[in-house]
Amino acid sequence: MKFGKRLKQQIEETFPTWRDQFLCYKELKKLIKLISSALPIAAEPTKYGKAEAEFVYMLNNEIDKFNTFFMEQEEDFIIRHKELQQRIKRVMDKWSSNGSRTEYNDEMAKIRKDVVDFHGEMVLLENYSNINFTDNGWEFVRLAKILKKYDKRTGGLLRLPFIQKVLKQPFFTTDLVSNLVKECENTIDEVLFPIEEDKEETKEQKGAIMVATEPVKGIFRNTVAALLTMEEIRRVSSTKDHFSLPPLNLSHSHLIHSFQLNSPIPIL
Amino acid sequence: MPSSFLALTSFKDKYSTSPSSFQVSSGREVMENSAPLQESSLAPSNGTLGNSSLSPSIVTDHMCASALPHVQHSHNPAFISQSSRDLASLPPLDASFSQSTASLIRTQGNKDVSWSLDRLQMFLDLPENTPAPNQLVESSTGVLASEDHNKKTNWQEWADDLINVVDPDWSKILDNTNVLNPRVEVPKPSGDISKQQPQFHQNQLVPHGEFSSHAYPSSTAPPTKPRMRWTPELHEAFLEAVNQLGGSERATPKGILKLMNVEGLTIYHVKSHLQKYRTARYMPETSEGTSEKRITSIEEMKSIDLKTSIGITEALRLQVEVQKQLHEQLEIQRNLQLRIEEQGRYLQMMFEKQKKVEDEKGGVPSSASDDLLAPLPGSKHPPCNNGKSDSEALEQDHSRTGIGPGNAGTNEDKSSSGVSTKQKMLETESTVHDESGFSVSKRARTEK
């Protein structure tokens, strides 16, 4: 959960509108404490029941919040995706037949950047969904564990339907965004990036450019953070069991790590 | 805050026994499915509740039910019926495991479509392709007079008037009516079905904004209208309508709504979507309101010479690579999580079947389970009713790969044909869920 919090901080910095769109850890923590303190007092079933109900209610609220936010973003993505495609088409129709190579290049450069950023945003939304699912699930698992001590049946059974429900929520069913991402990737691969003749640029220079352009930096930084966090998590868990994910093998791994230096929030 | 506690207490008390109230048992759902439409005819009387009916939360459904008995049944079919159907339509687990989970979800989606169409045929004795203006009417018709065609014409006029007037209160009530009956829609010509179904599939899960805001004001900024989940196909239809009406500046929400003619789409949905569209068109690619930053970057780009602009392309390429990787990893993670939940669900089903058999035998639980377990081959394997080898292998996997302290205990218990094999199954499931289902965050936690 700690990792989710870190990413949350970083993303909220970059995208102010994403603030408060993550799980409200503090309040849930309070409730959990309340529940655990209420439980030993077997004589106060109402207090326990209240806290438990409150907790579940709160989680449900959180889910509602995620859903709303997610669907808003999704809607935006759909619109922007279409617009980008039309833009590309327009530019290609307009300039590629003419001789003016430079203008074509300029326009394409702009579009390229926009598409790449767009792609990045969508992926970050997927990441958001994943974090929330995991965190949400984790909060619930915590609750279930506490409850299990005092009521085995409730603890075990309460969790499963809830998680199944979460699985079906719009914010977790990211197929649509995933498809948009794939389409974007296709566009990028086929249309936007012609085969490069010479790649003389050094990596440091690339890094400098990345730092220079603000919006790019924001999205890129978040993506890097997300990947590194994932890598960290999975490095730890790789020894444990069959179900945990294998350690992450990032290409450009050293390069990605080097980008950390730009981040004000230390990741590792 | 205190008031919400009190409210919750009263709900809880009314709803008596705690554990079962949180369960979504299939038997119960089946019963409630049988008469949703008649009940939901009461819904229009209370506009606020219309939104609250679509809460995704099971608990809140029950809470709503206890406080507002006369619309009790209307709440449930929207969500619970879906989950019961999903449970029922779950393909055998070995098959699902050999496929990817993505295809599993698709299967369920298809079943949603066919189920709702069947349902529709049942309740409305209407022909497949009805002319467009009746669309909005049919759903109301379905609610109030299920098989009576005569009433339809009156409703038709009424509904047409509503659409033209766009009186907010009426529209809202109409929305709620539609929204409470997401499954009641006349199937349009096939091309539209695919775009409609997904939205309604999701439409059921929209938040009940108003209810939550009253009881718990702090966390959410509640939407007052049920949320529509837009799809690319729906957006295409939107664009067509806009273009027909002369572009995004000229087109009005009302006109668009009429042209699009999509079941359940309200003018509010169209309005907000149009607004987003206009923004996107005239400020292309403003990333999260950083338009100033964007201008800066363009200027920077222009001032950079050609050589460096190639560098930018390379940098972008790198960025895409990184993003692609993240995307890929997220997909993997998600599929894994889904599979794990699959497993857990399967185990849960097994457990319940077991319990049913045991209940039918009607003995003392412990002795009954002894009877059940004794003749089964290999006490190491938990009893599998359908005896599929894959599922047995699965459960073996569970006992082998459960993590931490729970693991050893579980294995030992399984090797002895004991009373609590069932319980151990449940515990294994929970353990696996707790541990490996969220292994990612668990590791994170241990890192603390």
Side-chain angles (χ1 to χ4, degrees):
Chain A
M1 196 180 88
K2 190 185 184 194
F3 290 94
K5 265 196 213 165
R6 257 199 223 129
L7 282 176
K8 164 189 172 181
Q9 250 182 310
Q10 194 153 29
I11 289 180
E12 285 181 348
E13 240 189 42
T14 318
F15 303 111
T17 51
W18 287 44
R19 216 160 275 154
D20 295 330
Q21 296 300 340
F22 288 86
L23 205 60
C24 51
Y25 303 106
K26 280 187 201 157
E27 301 186 38
L28 286 172
K29 243 186 187 167
K30 270 190 237 161
L31 279 176
I32 293 236
K33 280 193 185 150
L34 193 65
I35 292 173
S36 0
S37 65
L39 286 177
I41 311 165
E44 285 193 44
T46 44
K47 192 176 172 196
Y48 156 72
K50 240 192 282 178
E52 181 193 334
E54 182 82 5
F55 187 88
V56 177
Y57 186 77
M58 189 169 211
L59 275 185
N60 285 326
N61 262 359
E62 294 299 292
I63 290 178
D64 291 352
K65 188 175 72 172
F66 300 153
N67 279 339
T68 311
F69 175 69
F70 187 85
M71 293 200 279
E72 292 272 350
Q73 291 293 318
E74 206 180 43
E75 193 177 335
D76 275 334
F77 286 153
I78 291 176
I79 295 176
R80 279 161 71 187
H81 179 76
K82 191 76 196 158
E83 287 309 300
L84 277 172
Q85 288 189 321
Q86 288 183 339
R87 235 174 106 189
I88 291 173
K89 197 159 173 288
R90 259 181 278 143
V91 169
M92 295 199 78
D93 290 343
K94 198 172 168 195
W95 301 113
S96 57
S97 43
N98 290 0
S100 67
R101 199 71 196 161
T102 39
E103 289 195 54
Y104 174 74
N105 277 341
D106 282 348
E107 288 294 317
M108 284 306 277
K110 278 186 223 160
I111 292 182
R112 233 178 261 142
K113 182 178 135 5
D114 289 339
V115 172
V116 169
D117 285 350
F118 178 63
H119 179 267
E121 274 188 62
M122 288 200 286
V123 173
L124 284 177
L125 186 69
E126 285 183 325
N127 190 40
Y128 161 89
S129 153
N130 201 283
I131 292 173
N132 282 329
F133 171 77
T134 316
D135 282 344
N136 212 340
W138 179 242
E139 289 302 317
F140 206 84
V141 164
R142 258 215 225 150
L143 171 69
K145 273 189 172 165
I146 294 169
L147 297 180
K148 213 162 56 163
K149 290 185 204 165
Y150 298 92
D151 180 351
K152 280 193 167 166
R153 240 180 104 225
T154 306
L157 299 174
L158 180 54
R159 188 187 162 282
L160 195 57
F162 183 86
I163 289 300
Q164 284 168 29
K165 182 190 71 175
V166 169
L167 280 176
K168 293 183 198 138
Q169 294 303 303
F171 85 87
F172 189 70
T173 52
T174 53
D175 293 320
L176 205 145
V177 176
S178 178
N179 283 335
L180 285 179
V181 169
K182 287 196 191 113
E183 280 186 42
C184 219
E185 286 176 5
N186 286 336
T187 311
I188 288 172
D189 288 338
E190 292 162 16
V191 177
L192 293 185
F193 287 87
I195 308 162
E196 284 301 317
E197 307 80 21
D198 45 355
K199 304 182 181 180
E200 300 164 359
E201 304 308 313
T202 59
K203 287 177 178 170
E204 291 83 52
Q205 195 169 0
K206 271 187 231 170
I209 292 166
M210 296 310 299
V211 174
T213 50
E214 246 317 301
V216 174
K217 177 188 180 189
I219 293 174
F220 187 71
R221 185 154 54 94
N222 278 292
T223 311
V224 167
L227 271 173
L228 289 172
T229 305
M230 228 189 246
E231 186 186 39
E232 175 67 17
I233 291 171
R234 281 158 63 159
R235 192 192 308 160
V236 175
S237 68
S238 63
T239 52
K240 292 294 178 163
D241 69 291
H242 298 254
F243 288 112
S244 63
L245 302 162
L248 206 51
N249 264 329
L250 294 175
S251 47
H252 315 291
S253 175
H254 54 285
L255 185 59
I256 291 173
H257 275 269
S258 75
F259 282 122
Q260 266 190 94
L261 301 169
N262 299 330
S263 165
I265 300 171
I267 296 171
L268 291 170
Chain B
M1 197 65 156
S3 60
S4 68
F5 262 80
L6 283 174
L8 285 167
T9 320
S10 66
F11 287 149
K12 194 96 175 104
D13 291 342
K14 276 184 191 173
Y15 211 73
S16 61
T17 59
S18 49
S20 56
S21 69
F22 293 120
Q23 276 192 63
V24 179
S25 60
S26 4
R28 188 153 174 265
E29 292 149 8
V30 169
M31 286 193 302
E32 281 170 352
N33 277 347
S34 57
L37 290 182
Q38 277 75 33
E39 303 265 6
S40 54
S41 64
L42 297 171
S45 61
N46 190 337
T48 315
L49 282 182
N51 293 332
S52 63
S53 71
L54 295 182
S55 162
S57 71
I58 298 169
V59 174
T60 326
D61 276 346
H62 294 321
M63 287 178 180
C64 288
S66 58
L68 307 146
H70 67 288
V71 286
Q72 181 169 1
H73 291 288
S74 67
H75 290 270
N76 297 324
F79 172 70
I80 294 181
S81 61
Q82 184 200 359
S83 56
S84 76
R85 191 186 59 253
D86 285 345
L87 276 175
S89 68
L90 197 67
L93 202 62
D94 55 353
S96 75
F97 266 88
S98 59
Q99 305 166 15
S100 66
T101 47
S103 60
L104 175 69
I105 292 170
R106 253 181 270 129
T107 314
Q108 286 182 339
N110 291 338
K111 286 188 175 149
D112 286 349
V113 175
S114 55
W115 185 85
S116 64
L117 287 180
D118 289 343
R119 187 113 192 226
L120 181 62
Q121 295 302 323
M122 242 188 341
F123 283 100
L124 302 175
D125 219 7
L126 294 167
E128 278 275 327
N129 297 331
T130 40
N134 291 340
Q135 293 307 323
L136 216 54
V137 178
E138 310 302 20
S139 53
S140 320
T141 313
V143 173
L144 293 160
S146 46
E147 273 127 1
D148 193 349
H149 289 224
N150 292 334
K151 287 192 184 176
K152 184 169 71 167
T153 41
N154 296 336
W155 281 108
Q156 186 175 348
E157 290 161 14
W158 183 71
D160 277 346
D161 288 340
L162 282 183
I163 296 173
N164 292 332
V165 169
V166 192
D167 184 322
D169 293 327
W170 278 111
S171 301
K172 187 174 179 183
I173 292 175
L174 200 63
D175 287 350
N176 293 339
T177 312
N178 285 340
V179 133
L180 282 168
N181 300 283
R183 294 305 187 188
V184 184
E185 59 193 56
V186 178
K188 294 178 82 172
S190 52
D192 291 337
I193 288 181
S194 57
K195 85 176 169 216
Q196 282 189 57
Q197 291 306 333
Q199 25 155 321
F200 279 94
H201 181 43
Q202 301 304 336
N203 226 354
Q204 296 173 18
L205 303 172
V206 296
H208 58 306
E210 295 187 32
F211 184 83
S212 62
S213 67
H214 292 153
Y216 202 88
S218 53
S219 48
T220 54
T224 50
K225 302 288 174 290
R227 264 218 68 82
M228 165 71 71
R229 193 172 196 190
W230 284 83
T231 66
E233 295 81 20
L234 198 58
H235 183 64
E236 294 274 341
F238 171 84
L239 286 178
E240 264 187 56
V242 165
N243 288 330
Q244 275 187 47
L245 292 172
S248 61
E249 287 301 302
R250 275 212 200 141
T252 65
K254 194 170 69 175
I256 298 173
L257 182 66
K258 221 173 177 177
L259 261 183
M260 281 181 75
N261 199 19
V262 168
E263 196 78 8
L265 191 63
T266 70
I267 197 158
Y268 301 99
H269 296 144
V270 174
K271 250 190 218 166
S272 75
H273 195 77
L274 184 63
Q275 199 174 21
K276 289 190 181 196
Y277 178 66
R278 283 175 178 160
T279 313
R281 257 184 104 74
Y282 293 104
M283 281 198 338
E285 288 317 295
T286 325
S287 53
E288 300 298 321
T290 54
S291 49
E292 315 85 56
K293 289 179 181 172
R294 186 173 177 270
I295 293 169
T296 318
S297 69
I298 289 179
E299 284 168 359
E300 283 182 77
M301 274 178 65
K302 283 182 180 165
S303 65
I304 294 169
D305 63 1
L306 189 65
K307 206 176 182 194
T308 330
S309 74
I310 294 177
I312 285 182
T313 308
E314 280 308 303
L316 283 177
R317 214 188 276 258
L318 176 65
Q319 183 182 350
V320 175
E321 278 309 307
V322 171
Q323 283 168 187
K324 273 190 189 174
Q325 282 198 47
L326 181 57
H327 170 69
E328 200 184 307
Q329 293 305 324
L330 286 169
E331 291 278 293
I332 293 172
Q333 204 159 312
R334 184 160 163 258
N335 285 332
L336 196 69
Q337 281 165 338
L338 286 171
R339 266 176 51 205
I340 292 171
E341 294 304 323
E342 257 325 292
Q343 244 170 296
R345 210 173 357 177
Y346 176 75
L347 281 178
Q348 177 72 2
M349 262 166 53
M350 297 302 301
F351 171 66
E352 277 170 9
K353 273 188 193 169
Q354 187 87 41
K355 201 159 180 277
K356 266 190 206 160
V357 174
E358 165 192 301
D359 288 345
E360 280 163 20
K361 294 218 170 175
V364 177
S366 53
S367 57
S369 67
D370 278 341
D371 286 338
L372 277 175
L373 297 173
L376 286 171
S379 50
K380 228 190 178 188
H381 300 284
C384 292
N385 285 351
N386 36 18
K388 290 190 176 133
S389 56
D390 280 356
S391 54
E392 284 194 339
L394 259 178
E395 281 157 3
Q396 251 183 324
D397 271 346
H398 269 283
S399 46
R400 253 190 283 122
T401 59
I403 323 144
N407 191 21
T410 314
N411 275 335
E412 281 166 24
D413 284 330
K414 278 185 174 156
S415 58
S416 64
S417 64
V419 164
S420 44
T421 301
K422 256 193 341 257
Q423 194 173 14
K424 289 307 168 193
M425 251 178 79
L426 183 62
E427 252 171 83
T428 315
E429 174 250 333
S430 313
T431 310
V432 170
H433 274 289
D434 294 354
E435 312 280 346
S436 55
F438 295 99
S439 62
V440 175
S441 31
K442 174 157 176 86
R443 299 300 161 258
R445 185 165 173 260
T446 57
E447 278 298 291
K448 282 185 188 174

